[in-house]
Amino acid sequence: MRRQPIERVTVRAPAKVNLHLSVGRRRSDGFHDLTTIFHAVGLYDEVDAVHADALTVTVSGEGADSVPTDRDNLAMRAAALLGMETGHEPVVALAIRKGIPVAGGCAGGSADAAAALVACDALWGTGLSRGELLGLAARLGSDVPFSLHGGTALGTGRGERLTPVLGQGSYSWVLALADGGLSTPDVYAELDRQRDSGPVGVVSDASAVLTALRSGDAVALGHVLANDLQAAAIALRPTLRLLLDTGKDLGALGGIVSGSGPTVAFLARNEEHAVGLAAALAGQGVCRSVRRADGPAHGARIVELA
Ligand code: C5P
């Protein structure tokens, strides 16, 4: 049992890719009903939280310049919400270190929010249950509950209702990072526009992905990756088509735009294959940079307490 007060907490939260993402109708609240399979991968943001006299946030790492440091920052909103709901004055200094691409479709902002919830919860000793934290996460954004949860999970509703997915083994991914981000609302709006202007293909149900995950079959999984937002992301960023084709030509088992993009996730046979695929992709000049990451990864969790 810890007796000293906690002065500083560091939490690490993972990036996600959607192995399956089918987008349903646009709801009256502007969100879309989804069926998705979230998969956390080992690329992380870290958030430090220390006691302070005000609520502040700093951001470092790649793409930090384009992350807001005012009340639009999701980590700051997470701290404010947790404070409001627990009656704790929401004053804390948050320091975010970005390892997840900014505006890349990998839930980087959601990871920061989940990390801030976990960090402030520990720092303030709120004693909230896991379920209560998940409830607050859902109020912050559709992907925030999954950033807290990690692993592999089926998401429904607007993505915030989670059911863990049982699977075997782990998967080696190569993430191709694009120059600049894409706005998630813009990608959903493009999908609506495409659907309004004529029939567009929709991805089938998630069962093929669930079957592949159950047997730990990377080859089968590579074949069935599917994302309804992919065509919309390509329409807004046509170079993604070349990137997807290049990864497949280089031997990826499958490739998919991650969420609303523009990050593309390629599945490799194993770690060795991923090393080769990452090097080959980097040499093609079709993306800004590449990262390797294994999944499933853990959800937001404390890595240091002082
Ligand atoms: O929930 P979150 O803040 O991440 O959503 C960002 C935007 O993405 C929403 O404002 C909406 O435009 C779009 N979105 C959606 N349907 C979802 C999730 C997100 O239309 N299920």
Side-chain angles (χ1 to χ4, degrees), residues 38-92:
F38 290 112
H39 182 67
V41 296
L43 203 63
Y44 301 98
D45 279 3
E46 279 187 358
V47 176
D48 293 333
V50 295
H51 296 290
D53 297 331
L55 177 52
T56 61
V57 67
T58 59
V59 187
S60 61
E62 212 178 329
D65 291 354
S66 41
V67 178
T69 51
D70 57 14
R71 292 287 169 144
D72 284 341
N73 184 285
L74 260 190
M76 221 164 169
R77 282 171 41 199
L81 179 65
L82 183 68
M84 193 178 77
E85 290 297 317
T86 58
H88 196 287
E89 201 186 349
V91 287
V92 62

Coordinates of all heavy atoms in Angstrom, one line a residue, residues 38-92:
F38 N -11.6 -2.5 -33.5 CA -10.5 -1.8 -33.1 C -9.3 -2.7 -32.8 O -9.6 -3.8 -32.1 CB -10.7 -1.0 -31.8 CG -11.7 0.2 -31.9 CD1 -12.9 0.1 -31.3 CD2 -11.4 1.4 -32.6 CE1 -13.8 1.2 -31.3 CE2 -12.3 2.4 -32.6 CZ -13.5 2.3 -32.0
H39 N -8.1 -2.3 -33.1 CA -6.9 -3.1 -32.7 C -5.8 -2.1 -32.3 O -5.4 -1.3 -33.1 CB -6.5 -3.9 -34.0 CG -5.4 -4.8 -33.9 ND1 -5.4 -5.9 -33.1 CD2 -4.1 -4.8 -34.5 CE1 -4.2 -6.6 -33.2 NE2 -3.4 -5.9 -34.0
A40 N -5.4 -2.3 -31.0 CA -4.4 -1.3 -30.5 C -3.0 -1.8 -31.0 O -2.7 -3.0 -30.9 CB -4.5 -1.3 -29.0
V41 N -2.2 -0.9 -31.4 CA -0.8 -1.3 -31.9 C 0.2 -0.5 -31.0 O -0.1 0.6 -30.5 CB -0.6 -1.0 -33.4 CG1 -1.6 -2.0 -34.2 CG2 -0.9 0.4 -33.8
G42 N 1.4 -1.1 -31.0 CA 2.5 -0.6 -30.1 C 3.2 0.7 -30.6 O 4.4 0.7 -30.8
L43 N 2.4 1.7 -30.7 CA 3.0 3.0 -31.0 C 2.3 3.9 -30.0 O 1.0 3.9 -29.9 CB 2.5 3.4 -32.4 CG 3.3 4.5 -33.2 CD1 4.7 4.0 -33.5 CD2 2.6 4.7 -34.6
Y44 N 3.0 4.7 -29.2 CA 2.4 5.2 -28.0 C 2.6 6.7 -27.9 O 3.6 7.3 -28.3 CB 3.0 4.6 -26.7 CG 2.8 3.1 -26.7 CD1 3.9 2.3 -27.1 CD2 1.6 2.6 -26.2 CE1 3.7 0.9 -27.0 CE2 1.5 1.2 -26.1 CZ 2.5 0.3 -26.5 OH 2.4 -1.0 -26.5
D45 N 1.6 7.4 -27.3 CA 1.8 8.7 -26.7 C 2.0 8.5 -25.2 O 1.4 7.6 -24.6 CB 0.5 9.6 -26.9 CG 0.5 10.2 -28.3 OD1 1.4 9.9 -29.1 OD2 -0.5 11.0 -28.6
E46 N 2.7 9.4 -24.6 CA 2.9 9.4 -23.1 C 2.4 10.7 -22.6 O 2.7 11.8 -23.2 CB 4.4 9.2 -22.7 CG 4.7 7.7 -22.8 CD 6.1 7.4 -22.3 OE1 6.8 8.4 -21.8 OE2 6.5 6.3 -22.3
V47 N 1.8 10.7 -21.5 CA 1.3 11.9 -20.8 C 1.8 11.8 -19.3 O 1.6 10.9 -18.6 CB -0.3 12.0 -20.8 CG1 -0.7 13.2 -20.0 CG2 -0.8 12.1 -22.2
D48 N 2.5 12.9 -19.0 CA 2.9 13.1 -17.6 C 1.9 14.1 -16.9 O 1.5 15.0 -17.6 CB 4.2 13.9 -17.4 CG 5.4 13.0 -17.9 OD1 5.3 11.8 -17.9 OD2 6.4 13.7 -18.4
A49 N 1.5 13.8 -15.7 CA 0.6 14.7 -15.0 C 1.3 15.0 -13.6 O 1.7 14.1 -12.9 CB -0.7 14.0 -14.8
V50 N 1.4 16.3 -13.3 CA 1.9 16.7 -12.0 C 1.0 17.8 -11.4 O 0.3 18.5 -12.2 CB 3.4 17.3 -12.1 CG1 4.4 16.3 -12.5 CG2 3.4 18.5 -13.0
H51 N 1.0 17.9 -10.1 CA 0.2 18.9 -9.4 C 0.6 20.3 -9.9 O 1.8 20.5 -10.1 CB 0.3 18.8 -7.9 CG -0.2 17.5 -7.4 ND1 -1.5 17.1 -7.4 CD2 0.5 16.4 -6.9 CE1 -1.7 15.9 -6.9 NE2 -0.5 15.4 -6.6
A52 N -0.4 21.2 -10.0 CA -0.1 22.6 -10.4 C -1.2 23.5 -9.9 O -2.1 23.0 -9.3 CB 0.0 22.6 -12.0
D53 N -1.0 24.8 -10.2 CA -2.0 25.8 -9.7 C -3.0 26.0 -10.8 O -4.0 26.8 -10.5 CB -1.3 27.1 -9.4 CG -0.3 26.9 -8.2 OD1 -0.6 26.0 -7.4 OD2 0.7 27.6 -8.2
A54 N -2.8 25.5 -12.0 CA -3.7 25.8 -13.1 C -3.8 24.6 -14.0 O -2.9 23.7 -13.8 CB -3.2 27.0 -13.9
L55 N -4.7 24.5 -14.9 CA -4.8 23.4 -15.9 C -4.0 23.9 -17.1 O -4.4 24.8 -17.8 CB -6.3 23.2 -16.2 CG -6.6 22.1 -17.3 CD1 -5.9 20.8 -17.0 CD2 -8.1 21.9 -17.4
T56 N -2.9 23.2 -17.4 CA -2.0 23.5 -18.5 C -1.6 22.3 -19.3 O -1.6 21.2 -18.7 CB -0.7 24.2 -18.1 OG1 0.0 23.3 -17.2 CG2 -1.0 25.5 -17.3
V57 N -1.2 22.5 -20.5 CA -0.8 21.3 -21.3 C 0.4 21.8 -22.2 O 0.4 22.9 -22.7 CB -1.9 20.7 -22.1 CG1 -2.4 21.6 -23.2 CG2 -1.5 19.4 -22.7
T58 N 1.4 20.9 -22.3 CA 2.5 21.2 -23.3 C 2.5 19.9 -24.2 O 2.1 18.8 -23.7 CB 3.9 21.4 -22.6 OG1 4.1 20.2 -21.9 CG2 3.9 22.6 -21.8
V59 N 3.0 20.1 -25.4 CA 3.0 19.0 -26.3 C 4.4 18.9 -27.0 O 4.9 20.0 -27.5 CB 2.0 19.1 -27.4 CG1 1.9 17.8 -28.3 CG2 0.6 19.4 -26.8
S60 N 5.1 17.8 -27.0 CA 6.3 17.6 -27.7 C 6.3 16.4 -28.6 O 5.4 15.6 -28.5 CB 7.5 17.5 -26.7 OG 7.3 16.3 -25.9
G61 N 7.3 16.3 -29.5 CA 7.3 15.2 -30.4 C 6.9 15.6 -31.8 O 6.5 16.7 -32.0
E62 N 6.9 14.6 -32.7 CA 6.6 14.8 -34.1 C 5.1 15.4 -34.3 O 4.2 14.8 -33.7 CB 6.7 13.6 -34.9 CG 7.2 13.8 -36.3 CD 7.4 12.5 -37.1 OE1 7.8 11.5 -36.4 OE2 7.2 12.6 -38.3
G63 N 5.0 16.4 -35.0 CA 3.6 17.0 -35.2 C 3.1 17.8 -34.1 O 1.9 18.2 -34.1
A64 N 3.9 18.0 -33.0 CA 3.4 18.7 -31.8 C 2.8 20.1 -32.2 O 1.9 20.6 -31.5 CB 4.5 18.8 -30.8
D65 N 3.4 20.8 -33.2 CA 3.0 22.1 -33.5 C 1.5 22.2 -33.9 O 0.9 23.3 -33.8 CB 3.8 22.6 -34.8 CG 5.2 22.9 -34.4 OD1 5.6 22.7 -33.2 OD2 6.1 23.1 -35.3
S66 N 1.0 21.1 -34.4 CA -0.4 21.2 -34.9 C -1.4 20.7 -33.8 O -2.6 20.5 -34.1 CB -0.6 20.5 -36.2 OG 0.1 19.3 -36.3
V67 N -0.9 20.4 -32.6 CA -1.8 20.0 -31.6 C -2.2 21.2 -30.7 O -1.3 21.9 -30.3 CB -1.1 18.9 -30.7 CG1 -2.1 18.5 -29.5 CG2 -0.8 17.7 -31.5
P68 N -3.5 21.5 -30.5 CA -3.9 22.7 -29.7 C -3.4 22.5 -28.3 O -3.3 21.4 -27.7 CB -5.4 22.7 -29.8 CG -5.8 21.3 -30.2 CD -4.7 20.7 -31.0
T69 N -3.1 23.7 -27.7 CA -2.7 23.6 -26.2 C -3.7 24.4 -25.4 O -3.4 24.8 -24.3 CB -1.3 24.2 -26.0 OG1 -1.2 25.4 -26.7 CG2 -0.3 23.2 -26.6
D70 N -4.9 24.7 -26.0 CA -6.0 25.4 -25.2 C -7.1 24.4 -24.9 O -6.8 23.1 -25.0 CB -6.5 26.5 -26.0 CG -7.0 26.1 -27.4 OD1 -7.2 24.9 -27.6 OD2 -7.3 27.0 -28.3
R71 N -8.3 24.8 -24.7 CA -9.4 24.0 -24.2 C -9.8 23.0 -25.3 O -10.7 22.1 -25.1 CB -10.6 24.8 -23.7 CG -10.3 25.5 -22.4 CD -10.2 24.5 -21.3 NE -9.7 25.1 -20.0 CZ -10.1 24.8 -18.8 NH1 -11.1 23.9 -18.7 NH2 -9.6 25.3 -17.8
D72 N -9.3 23.2 -26.6 CA -9.6 22.2 -27.6 C -8.8 20.9 -27.5 O -9.0 19.9 -28.1 CB -9.3 22.8 -29.0 CG -10.4 23.8 -29.4 OD1 -11.5 23.7 -28.9 OD2 -10.1 24.6 -30.3
N73 N -7.7 21.0 -26.6 CA -6.9 19.8 -26.4 C -7.7 18.7 -25.7 O -8.2 19.0 -24.6 CB -5.6 20.2 -25.7 CG -4.7 19.1 -25.5 OD1 -4.9 18.2 -24.7 ND2 -3.6 19.1 -26.3
L74 N -7.7 17.6 -26.2 CA -8.6 16.5 -25.6 C -8.1 16.1 -24.3 O -8.9 15.7 -23.4 CB -8.6 15.3 -26.6 CG -9.8 15.1 -27.5 CD1 -9.7 13.7 -28.2 CD2 -11.1 15.2 -26.7
A75 N -6.8 16.1 -24.0 CA -6.3 15.7 -22.7 C -6.7 16.7 -21.7 O -7.1 16.3 -20.6 CB -4.7 15.6 -22.8
M76 N -6.7 18.0 -22.1 CA -7.1 19.0 -21.1 C -8.6 18.9 -20.8 O -9.0 19.0 -19.7 CB -6.8 20.4 -21.8 CG -6.3 21.4 -20.9 SD -5.6 22.7 -22.0 CE -5.4 23.9 -20.7
R77 N -9.4 18.6 -21.9 CA -10.8 18.4 -21.7 C -11.1 17.2 -20.8 O -12.0 17.2 -20.0 CB -11.5 18.2 -23.0 CG -11.7 19.6 -23.7 CD -12.1 19.6 -25.1 NE -13.2 18.7 -25.3 CZ -13.5 18.2 -26.5 NH1 -12.8 18.6 -27.6 NH2 -14.5 17.3 -26.7
A78 N -10.2 16.2 -20.9 CA -10.4 15.0 -20.1 C -10.1 15.3 -18.6 O -10.9 14.9 -17.7 CB -9.4 13.9 -20.5
A79 N -9.1 16.1 -18.3 CA -8.8 16.5 -17.0 C -9.9 17.4 -16.4 O -10.4 17.2 -15.3 CB -7.5 17.3 -16.9
A80 N -10.4 18.3 -17.2 CA -11.5 19.2 -16.8 C -12.8 18.4 -16.5 O -13.4 18.6 -15.5 CB -11.8 20.2 -17.9
L81 N -13.1 17.4 -17.3 CA -14.3 16.6 -17.1 C -14.2 15.7 -15.9 O -15.1 15.7 -15.0 CB -14.5 15.7 -18.4 CG -15.7 14.8 -18.3 CD1 -17.0 15.6 -18.2 CD2 -15.7 13.8 -19.5
L82 N -13.0 15.1 -15.7 CA -12.8 14.3 -14.5 C -12.9 15.1 -13.2 O -13.5 14.7 -12.3 CB -11.4 13.6 -14.6 CG -11.1 12.6 -13.4 CD1 -12.0 11.4 -13.5 CD2 -9.6 12.2 -13.4
G83 N -12.3 16.3 -13.3 CA -12.4 17.2 -12.1 C -13.8 17.6 -11.8 O -14.3 17.5 -10.7
M84 N -14.6 17.9 -12.9 CA -16.0 18.4 -12.7 C -16.8 17.2 -12.1 O -17.6 17.4 -11.2 CB -16.5 18.8 -14.0 CG -17.8 19.5 -14.0 SD -18.3 20.0 -15.7 CE -18.9 18.4 -16.3
E85 N -16.6 16.0 -12.6 CA -17.4 14.9 -12.2 C -17.0 14.4 -10.8 O -17.8 13.7 -10.2 CB -17.3 13.7 -13.2 CG -17.9 14.1 -14.5 CD -19.4 14.2 -14.4 OE1 -20.1 13.5 -13.7 OE2 -19.9 15.2 -15.0
T86 N -15.8 14.6 -10.3 CA -15.4 14.1 -9.0 C -15.3 15.2 -8.0 O -14.9 14.9 -6.8 CB -14.0 13.4 -9.1 OG1 -13.1 14.3 -9.6 CG2 -14.1 12.2 -10.1
G87 N -15.6 16.4 -8.3 CA -15.5 17.5 -7.4 C -14.1 17.9 -7.0 O -13.8 18.6 -6.0
H88 N -13.1 17.4 -7.9 CA -11.7 17.8 -7.6 C -11.4 19.0 -8.5 O -11.7 19.1 -9.7 CB -10.8 16.7 -8.0 CG -9.4 16.8 -7.5 ND1 -8.5 17.7 -8.0 CD2 -8.8 16.1 -6.5 CE1 -7.4 17.6 -7.3 NE2 -7.5 16.6 -6.4
E89 N -10.7 20.0 -7.9 CA -10.4 21.2 -8.7 C -9.5 20.8 -9.9 O -8.5 20.1 -9.6 CB -9.7 22.2 -7.8 CG -9.8 23.6 -8.5 CD -8.9 24.6 -7.7 OE1 -8.5 24.3 -6.6 OE2 -8.8 25.7 -8.2
P90 N -9.9 21.1 -11.1 CA -9.2 20.5 -12.3 C -7.9 21.3 -12.6 O -7.8 21.9 -13.6 CB -10.2 20.6 -13.4 CG -11.0 21.7 -13.0 CD -11.1 21.8 -11.5
V91 N -7.0 21.2 -11.6 CA -5.7 21.9 -11.9 C -4.6 20.9 -11.9 O -4.4 20.1 -11.0 CB -5.4 23.0 -10.8 CG1 -6.3 24.2 -11.0 CG2 -5.6 22.4 -9.4
V92 N -3.9 20.9 -13.0 CA -2.8 19.9 -13.2 C -2.0 20.3 -14.4 O -2.5 21.0 -15.3 CB -3.5 18.5 -13.5 CG1 -4.3 18.5 -14.8 CG2 -2.4 17.4 -13.6

